[in-house]
Amino acid sequence: MRENIHEAQSTEDHHQKYQNPITRLSSKLTKTWVTTKIFIFVLFIIVLSASFSLMHTFVLGESRLQIPSIRNTNKSTTITTTTSNIPKILVKFPLNCTSLNGNTTQTCPLNYPTKFEPAISSSETCPDYFKWIHRDLKVWQKTGITRETLERAKPNAHFRVVIKSGKLYVHQYDKAFQTRDVFTIWGILQLLRMYPGQIPDLELLFLCHDRPAIWKRDFKKNRKDTWPPPPLFHYCGHRDAYDIVFPDWSFWGWPELNIKEWNKLSVALKEGNKKVKWEDRVPYAYWKGNPHVSPIRGDLMRCNFSDKYDPMVRLYVQDWVREIEAGFRGSRLEDQCIHRYKIYIEGNAWSVSEKYILSCDSMTLLVKPEYYDFFFRSMIPMKHYWPIRPNNKCGDLKFAVEWGNNNTEEAQVIGRQGSEYMMKNLEMKYVYDYMLYVLQGYGKLMKLNVTVPENATQVCSETMACPITDGGQIRQCMDDSLVMYPSVKAACDMPPPYGDYELKKFLKKQESARRKAEKWTDQYWNLRGPK
Ligand SMILES: *[C@@H]1O[C@H](CO)[C@@H](O)[C@H](O)[C@H]1NC(C)=O
Ligand SMILES: *[C@@H]1O[C@H](CO)[C@@H](O)[C@H](O)[C@H]1NC(C)=O
Ligand SMILES: *[C@@H]1O[C@H](CO)[C@@H](O)[C@H](O)[C@H]1NC(C)=O
Ligand SMILES: *[C@@H]1O[C@H](CO)[C@@H](O)[C@H](O)[C@H]1NC(C)=O
Ligand SMILES: *[C@@H]1O[C@H](CO)[C@@H](O)[C@H](O)[C@H]1NC(C)=O
Ligand SMILES: *[C@@H]1O[C@H](CO)[C@@H](O)[C@H](O)[C@H]1NC(C)=O
Ligand SMILES: *[C@@H]1O[C@H](CO)[C@@H](O)[C@H](O)[C@H]1NC(C)=O
C-alpha cells in the first residue's frame, strides 16, 4: 500500500474537471463524431451514396452546439455502405446489459460479430513507432514462448489474460493500484470489438506497477535456466529491460484523477489550444506535479530560484489530496495550455502526463527520460520537443525559454509538431492498431497450448460495465470509450522493422539533434560565465 500511494502520486500531474451536463452532452456528440470519423472519411472520399440520416449526424457532430433531435439513437442503427461492389452492413452494438433489477447475472452477448472483413483496405503505413514492436519481441524470435518461459513471468504479474477464439478470460493474482488493471483489460476488450477474428489465441501476463520488472542483467543467454527471459507486458520499457511495452490504461480513462479517455480528451485539448494563442501565452516554462516521487523531480524544484538571473520557470507542487477534495476545480487539462513552454520530467518511471503535456501546442522542454512508453521512441529532439539534460536542468531550461522567446517562429513550430505527433500518430485507431500488431506478433510466438486456467473468468464489456450503475466516472469512461462496431477500415500497414543499420542511423539523428541544442546552450553559458 505504501508503494501504491507512492505510485499514485508519481504517475500523474494533471486532471480535468468533471464537465457540466451540457458540455458533457455536446462532448457525447463529439465522441460520436470521433468514433465515426474514419467512416466519414470513407463516405466523403469513396462512397458518395451515403444514407442521409448519417450525414445528418455528422453535421450535428461537427457543430456540437445544440441538443438536436438525433434520429440515430436507435439501438441498432444500420448503416449501409457500398464499397467495391460488396455491400457491407454495419450494425452498432451498444452494451447489452441485462435488466438491473432481479438477481440474474450479466452474460456476454453472443451476437457480436466474431469475424469481420474491413470494407476499406488500408492505404497508409502506420506511424514509425510501430517499428519498435518487432524489436520488443525479438528476444523470443528464435525460441518462441513455451509454457515454462511464460510462467516465469507470473510472480511479477497482476493478472493473466487468455484470449481463446476471440473470447477473453482473466485470472487476477493481485489487485493493481486504482483502476489500472480494469482499464487495461477494458482496452483489450475494445480491441477485440474493433478487430474481431484478428487477435490470435494467446496467454499473456501483465504488470501494472510503474517500473519494468524483467531486467536484462538477470537473464543471460548462456544460462539455460533463465533463457529466454519471461515475457511480461507493461506500460513502459527501459533500454536495460525486456518488458513488452503496451499502451497504458489512461487511453481509456483515469477516473480517479478525473481524466477522460483519450478520444474525448484529445478533442478537448485541441479545442483548448485555440483559447490562448501562442504569442499571448505566458513566456515561461511551466510544470506542476509531485516533486517527492523521484530525486530528479526534487532537483527540478531547485531551478525555481536564482539570485543571479530570472530562471524563466514556473514550478508548482501538486497537492493531490487537496485537488481531489476540491473536485479538481481549476485543473482541467484543456485549460492548462497557457504557457509557451511546458516541462516534462518523469517520476517513478514514465509519466502518463507526457501525452497531455505534448498536446498543448507549447514547446515541450523534455528532460531526457530513462523510461519510454510505446510512442516515445520515434520522437525527435528539436522537431517534436526541446531536449533538456538531466544533469543540467536549470541552465538548459533557462536557455531554451530565452531562445524560444527570441525565436518565436521556430519555438512555435516545435510546439506544433509535438502536438501534431500526439493528435495524428496517437489517434485511438493507431493505439488499437499498435495493440493489434503487438498481440499478433506475440501470438505467433506461442509455443504452448493456450488454455483457460481453472479460476479464470470470462470477461466482456458487459460484465465489466453493466454492474457499475452509480453514475460515476468509471462507467462514464467505459461508455465513452466503448467500441460500438468493428472497424470498417483495416489496420494500417505495418512498416518494415528497423534493420540494424537503419536503427543506428535513426539513433544518430536523434543524438545529433540533442547535441545541437547542447552546443547552443553551452555556448550561451560560456559567454555568460558561471551559472
Ligand atoms: C428502432 O428500430 C426499430 C426496429 O428496427 C423500430 O421498430 C423503431 O421504431 C425504431 N425506433 C426509432 C426511435 O427510430
Ligand atoms: C433472486 O434469487 C432468489 C434465490 O435465488 C429468488 O428467490 C428470487 O426470487 C430472485 N429474485 C428475482 C427478482 O429474480
Ligand atoms: C441482448 O442480449 C440478449 C440475451 O443475450 C439477446 O436476446 C438480445 O438480442 C440482445 N440485444 C441486442 C440489441 O443485441
Ligand atoms: C519558488 O521560489 C520562490 C522564491 O524562492 C519561493 O517563494 C516559492 O515558494 C518557490 N516555489 C516552489 C514551488 O518551490
Ligand atoms: C535573447 O535576446 C536577448 C536580446 O537580444 C539577448 O541578450 C539574449 O542573449 C538572447 N538569448 C538567447 C538565448 O538567445
Ligand atoms: C498441445 O496439445 C496437443 C493435443 O493435446 C498435443 O499433441 C501437443 O503436444 C500440445 N503442445 C504443447 C506445446 O504442449
Ligand atoms: C482455484 O481456486 C481454488 C479456490 O480458491 C483454489 O483452491 C485452487 O487452488 C485454485 N486453482 C488454481 C489453479 O489456482
Side-chain angles (χ1 to χ4, degrees):
M1 198 55 207
R2 184 166 34 89
E3 191 192 0
N4 282 346
I5 288 162
H6 196 59
E7 285 189 280
Q9 296 168 332
S10 72
T11 321
E12 198 32 67
D13 308 332
H14 296 271
H15 34 259
Q16 185 191 21
K17 198 189 172 309
Y18 201 75
Q19 289 172 312
N20 73 41
I22 293 171
T23 0
R24 205 159 10 139
L25 195 53
S26 63
S27 304
K28 258 216 172 88
L29 291 170
T30 316
K31 178 67 197 320
T32 318
W33 162 255
V34 172
T35 47
T36 45
K37 200 157 61 175
I38 303 149
F39 215 179
I40 305 158
F41 185 71
V42 175
L43 286 167
F44 284 173
I45 308 295
I46 306 169
V47 189
L48 297 169
S49 61
S51 80
F52 181 74
S53 70
L54 190 61
M55 290 290 202
H56 186 58
T57 322
F58 294 150
V59 175
L60 296 171
E62 198 169 24
S63 67
R64 283 183 296 110
L65 287 171
Q66 345 88 314
I67 299 148
S69 56
I70 307 163
R71 286 198 251 116
N72 255 351
T73 48
N74 206 334
K75 280 277 174 190
S76 44
T77 311
T78 305
I79 301 160
T80 312
T81 66
T82 44
T83 347
S84 37
N85 311 313
I86 316 146
K88 295 274 171 190
I89 308 293
L90 201 73
V91 182
K92 273 194 183 184
F93 294 91
L95 288 178
N96 184 359
C97 296
T98 44
S99 75
L100 300 174
N101 46 22
N103 38 15
T104 45
T105 49
Q106 179 66 48
T107 54
C108 295
L110 299 170
N111 60 345
Y112 198 91
T114 50
K115 260 197 156 45
F116 188 82
E117 188 77 30
I120 304 140
S121 59
S122 174
S123 54
E124 38 149 22
T125 306
C126 312
D128 275 355
Y129 63 80
F130 281 63
K131 284 168 175 267
W132 294 95
I133 292 175
H134 185 261
R135 290 204 92 83
D136 282 351
L137 298 175
K138 202 174 170 191
V139 67
W140 298 281
Q141 212 65 55
K142 282 214 181 87
T143 57
I145 295 166
T146 61
R147 169 73 50 202
E148 187 274 332
T149 303
L150 178 74
E151 297 303 328
R152 277 189 283 124
K154 190 176 158 188
N156 286 304
H158 282 88
F159 59 83
R160 178 191 304 254
V161 162
V162 177
I163 296 175
K164 198 163 187 186
S165 309
K167 292 194 179 75
L168 186 144
Y169 306 83
V170 176
H171 191 188
Q172 184 153 31
Y173 304 122
D174 208 355
K175 181 69 193 119
F177 182 62
Q178 294 182 336
T179 46
R180 286 179 179 202
D181 49 356
V182 172
F183 281 98
T184 301
I185 293 165
W186 176 263
I188 300 173
L189 285 171
Q190 301 320 303
L191 174 71
L192 288 166
R193 288 170 71 96
M194 184 106 171
Y195 293 119
Q198 294 194 49
I199 323 288
D201 287 359
L202 56 84
E203 285 185 43
L204 66 84
L205 290 156
F206 210 108
L207 167 71
C208 298
H209 284 321
D210 280 0
R211 291 198 176 155
I214 311 299
W215 295 100
K216 289 184 183 175
R217 60 172 179 263
D218 300 331
F219 303 94
K220 293 281 180 264
K221 216 171 191 164
N222 56 10
R223 286 195 44 204
K224 290 286 173 248
D225 57 329
T226 66
W227 196 261
L232 184 65
F233 281 70
H234 181 52
Y235 306 124
C236 73
H238 189 283
R239 64 177 180 279
D240 297 329
Y242 286 123
D243 297 54
I244 301 168
V245 187
F246 205 69
D248 68 63
W249 70 94
S250 67
F251 286 92
W252 297 274
W254 192 350
E256 291 85 358
L257 297 190
N258 214 22
I259 292 176
K260 302 265 177 289
E261 52 92 35
W262 178 238
N263 240 340
K264 198 170 184 178
L265 183 52
S266 58
V267 171
L269 285 164
K270 216 185 243 172
E271 287 296 309
N273 280 342
K274 294 179 189 151
K275 281 187 210 154
V276 188
K277 282 206 308 245
W278 196 90
E279 294 84 358
D280 300 331
R281 294 186 182 186
V282 185
Y284 285 88
Y286 172 90
W287 185 78
K288 185 173 183 178
N290 181 352
H292 308 299
V293 292
S294 63
I296 194 176
R297 282 191 172 184
D299 203 35
L300 172 72
M301 297 314 277
R302 298 200 320 213
C303 303
N304 182 31
F305 177 75
S306 165
D307 55 2
K308 297 197 181 69
Y309 53 78
D310 182 350
M312 307 305 282
V313 294
R314 294 286 185 263
L315 309 175
Y316 303 93
V317 174
Q318 183 98 279
D319 183 342
W320 280 118
V321 177
R322 199 174 332 142
E323 300 263 11
I324 290 166
E325 274 170 5
F328 303 100
R329 260 191 303 279
S331 54
R332 284 160 54 115
L333 280 175
E334 62 267 39
D335 294 340
Q336 291 192 4
C337 299
I338 57 165
H339 291 78
R340 287 185 182 178
Y341 315 95
K342 296 198 72 169
I343 299 167
Y344 171 76
I345 184 163
E346 57 188 14
N348 207 13
W350 104 107
S351 166
V352 168
S353 65
E354 189 177 36
K355 60 181 174 303
Y356 310 128
I357 289 173
L358 277 156
S359 295
C360 259
D361 263 355
S362 306
M363 184 167 88
T364 301
L365 311 181
L366 197 140
V367 182
K368 193 177 185 215
E370 288 256 327
Y371 302 89
Y372 48 78
D373 45 29
F374 69 102
F375 62 82
F376 181 71
R377 281 177 285 181
S378 290
M379 299 190 80
I380 299 167
M382 303 304 276
K383 182 176 182 190
H384 302 118
Y385 62 88
W386 184 286
I388 301 292
R389 285 170 289 191
N391 57 359
N392 197 42
K393 289 184 286 300
C394 305
D396 283 8
L397 287 170
K398 175 174 164 63
F399 174 79
V401 173
E402 255 194 47
W403 179 90
N405 288 339
N406 285 357
N407 303 274
T408 52
E409 293 286 327
E410 288 93 329
Q412 275 185 81
V413 169
I414 296 174
R416 203 176 314 127
Q417 287 173 168
S419 292
E420 271 167 14
Y421 188 99
M422 293 299 115
M423 297 300 167
K424 291 208 183 109
N425 294 352
L426 222 47
E427 262 184 31
M428 218 44 214
K429 168 77 163 50
Y430 285 137
V431 177
Y432 285 121
D433 289 359
Y434 185 90
M435 293 160 68
L436 177 72
Y437 284 125
V438 173
L439 294 187
Q440 285 184 343
Y442 179 80
K444 283 200 192 100
L445 300 171
M446 293 278 101
K447 281 236 167 53
L448 48 84
N449 282 328
V450 173
T451 44
V452 180
E454 190 188 332
N455 290 341
T457 41
Q458 194 198 339
V459 172
C460 59
S461 301
E462 278 78 6
T463 58
M464 285 191 94
C466 294
I468 306 170
T469 54
D470 59 359
Q473 292 269 5
I474 296 179
R475 178 63 191 266
Q476 186 69 47
C477 286
M478 289 178 172
D479 286 342
D480 287 346
S481 60
L482 181 75
V483 168
M484 287 276 203
Y485 44 79
S487 178
V488 274
K489 200 177 172 191
C492 55
D493 295 326
M494 186 71 172
Y498 279 122
D500 287 343
Y501 173 73
E502 193 198 352
L503 181 63
K504 224 179 197 164
K505 217 171 90 183
F506 175 72
L507 294 176
K508 220 171 184 173
K509 182 177 164 188
Q510 281 184 323
E511 190 53 33
S512 72
R514 208 173 286 129
R515 285 267 158 73
K516 188 165 90 178
E518 287 171 12
K519 205 171 122 204
W520 289 355
T521 311
D522 291 343
Q523 276 169 357
Y524 168 89
W525 284 111
N526 287 341
L527 283 174
R528 299 193 126 212
K531 296 158 205 180

